[in-house]
Amino acid sequence: MQVSFIGLGLMGNRMAKRLLNHDIHLKIHNRTKSKAQDLIQSGAQWCSSPGEAADGADIVITMLADPAAVEETAFGDEGFTCYMKKDSVWLDCSTVHPSFSENVSQRSHDLRIHFLDAPVLGSLQPAEKGELIFLIGGEENIIRRVNPILSIMGKKIVPLGKAGSGSKMKIIHNMMLANAMVAFSESLALAKAEGLDEQQAMEILLQSPSAAPFLQGKKEKIQSQVFDPEFPLQHMHKDLRMAARSAQDYRQFAPLANLSKELFAMAVQLGWGEEDFSAIIKLHRLSAK
Ligand code: NAP
């Protein structure tokens, strides 16, 4: 089976590495070639364009930043979809807006390509260990076809129904993630402002059942104030913009997601977009005396 991987950033690189380590012959492409060097050394076949990567592939996997990046790579000048074989599968793992996935699914169908929106739950460690959770929109028989590849990268594959369903589920997940991060940051900031010991407050909050489990993994970054990216803050801002848009599309009241969106927008403005999304706590610290 010929598999191609396009988009080798923080997540894509690790997912592609898993496939290589499981003896999958992989053609790869990334806008910035330097990020693919380790994969090339591990035996991946470098392709100088997305089209060259997709040419002849049975499965094309994309893990790109946002809808604009997917649009440009797939449908722009020399976009890869026109190089894909009929009846091949495009698995888009990027986190994008659900209506974008629906639209892309239709355009792929017109080109006789099978499209699955397959965003993932889990960050860098799960990607390295093959423990991602795939949330998938699209036809079940196509999901079954790519199952051997998915199971190398993930521990759980969740078929959710028609195209766009995977993206919908991913967006509601990330809005909860962002809101939990903001709530935790705000509580810690108030603890400090009130003269409580911040470390002790963090321990007590993290040991309480009210803390989301992922927050434990952010403890070291918050203590050291070094926010090396696992999940870049600018991507969380993008996801909150998409959540707000979906809420508007469906006339659903989503005040917390909209508020978090503005907070993350401020953090991006302050130049923290490439840091981990837990760097949002710096916003609360700005107001500290
Ligand atoms: P990343 O490190 O920023 O990688 C983004 C990728 O998109 C890179 O390959 C980048 O290419 C490419 N790209 C961006 N704009 C492009 C354009 N206009 N044309 C072509 N390529 C473009 O991000 P990531 O953390 O791997 O995330 C990738 C996706 O997964 C995002 O949708 C994110 O929301 C989602 N996600 C991330 C995590 C996480 O924990 N990091 C977890 C789950 C889901 P260059 O290398 O050339 O910049």
Side-chain angles (χ1 to χ4, degrees):
M1 188 184 280
Q2 175 61 60
V3 183
S4 299
F5 209 115
I6 300 170
L8 305 164
L10 290 168
M11 290 294 284
N13 189 296
R14 287 164 171 84
M15 293 162 73
K17 193 65 166 282
R18 285 260 338 148
L19 295 175
L20 282 174
N21 289 343
H22 284 75
D23 296 328
I24 302 293
H25 178 255
L26 208 58
K27 284 168 82 181
I28 57 169
H29 173 78
N30 193 52
R31 183 180 59 176
T32 309
K33 186 179 177 184
S34 57
K35 292 191 192 167
Q37 284 308 341
D38 57 329
L39 297 171
I40 297 169
Q41 271 158 16
S42 302
Q45 182 185 339
W46 172 254
C47 299
S48 55
S49 69
E52 191 184 325
D55 199 6
D58 300 296
I59 306 177
V60 174
I61 305 171
T62 43
M63 189 49 157
L64 294 159
D66 53 24
V70 177
E71 176 71 34
E72 191 179 321
T73 311
F75 300 106
D77 291 343
E78 302 288 305
F80 70 78
T81 48
C82 59
Y83 291 85
M84 286 182 72
K85 296 192 288 196
K86 306 264 175 287
D87 197 37
S88 58
V89 183
W90 172 14
L91 188 74
D92 185 24
C93 300
S94 325
T95 305
V96 296
H97 193 269
S99 66
F100 177 78
S101 296
E102 286 161 7
N103 174 277
V104 163
S105 172
Q106 184 55 53
R107 287 151 83 192
S108 302
H109 178 78
D110 295 344
L111 294 166
R112 301 213 202 139
I113 298 165
H114 303 285
F115 175 81
L116 299 172
D117 48 304
V120 300
L121 301 186
S123 191
L124 307 191
Q125 268 204 8
E128 262 161 34
K129 293 183 178 166
E131 291 177 354
L132 295 169
I133 297 173
F134 284 91
L135 306 171
I136 314 195
E139 287 172 33
E140 292 222 17
N141 61 327
I142 303 300
I143 301 175
R144 274 195 294 279
R145 208 202 279 182
V146 296
N147 196 66
I149 294 298
L150 291 171
S151 1
I152 294 172
M153 299 183 286
K155 64 175 179 187
K156 198 166 177 188
I157 294 149
V158 192
L160 290 160
K162 60 185 184 182
S165 313
S167 296
K168 283 180 182 162
M169 196 63 85
K170 172 67 186 177
I171 297 295
I172 63 150
H173 171 273
N174 275 20
M175 83 194 232
M176 188 173 75
L177 188 67
N179 292 340
M181 192 68 239
V182 169
F184 184 63
S185 304
E186 201 163 297
S187 292
L188 275 187
L190 180 59
K192 194 169 177 196
E194 288 173 332
L196 291 173
D197 181 293
E198 195 187 28
Q199 291 307 319
Q200 193 183 27
M202 176 142 69
E203 293 301 340
I204 289 173
L205 291 179
L206 287 175
Q207 282 162 22
S208 83
S210 353
F214 83 91
L215 290 166
Q216 190 68 39
K218 301 298 178 191
K219 188 172 140 186
E220 209 181 298
K221 292 186 195 297
I222 292 172
Q223 280 171 333
S224 65
Q225 305 203 41
V226 177
F227 294 95
D228 289 340
E230 282 173 86
F231 180 36
L233 189 146
Q234 62 196 3
H235 291 335
M236 182 58 98
H237 177 228
K238 165 213 38 146
D239 294 351
L240 287 165
R241 287 201 315 271
M242 297 192 297
R245 193 177 134 199
S246 279
Q248 206 171 24
D249 290 348
Y250 287 90
R251 295 167 190 255
Q252 176 58 47
F253 183 51
L256 288 182
N258 275 286
L259 181 55
S260 292
K261 170 177 69 85
E262 294 306 317
L263 295 173
F264 278 86
M266 257 187 259
V268 170
Q269 286 277 318
L270 287 163
W272 307 335
E274 290 182 10
E275 298 182 41
D276 188 68
F277 81 103
S278 52
I280 196 69
I281 196 168
K282 293 199 283 182
L283 207 56
H284 296 90
R285 285 178 172 160
L286 280 182
S287 69
K289 286 196 194 117

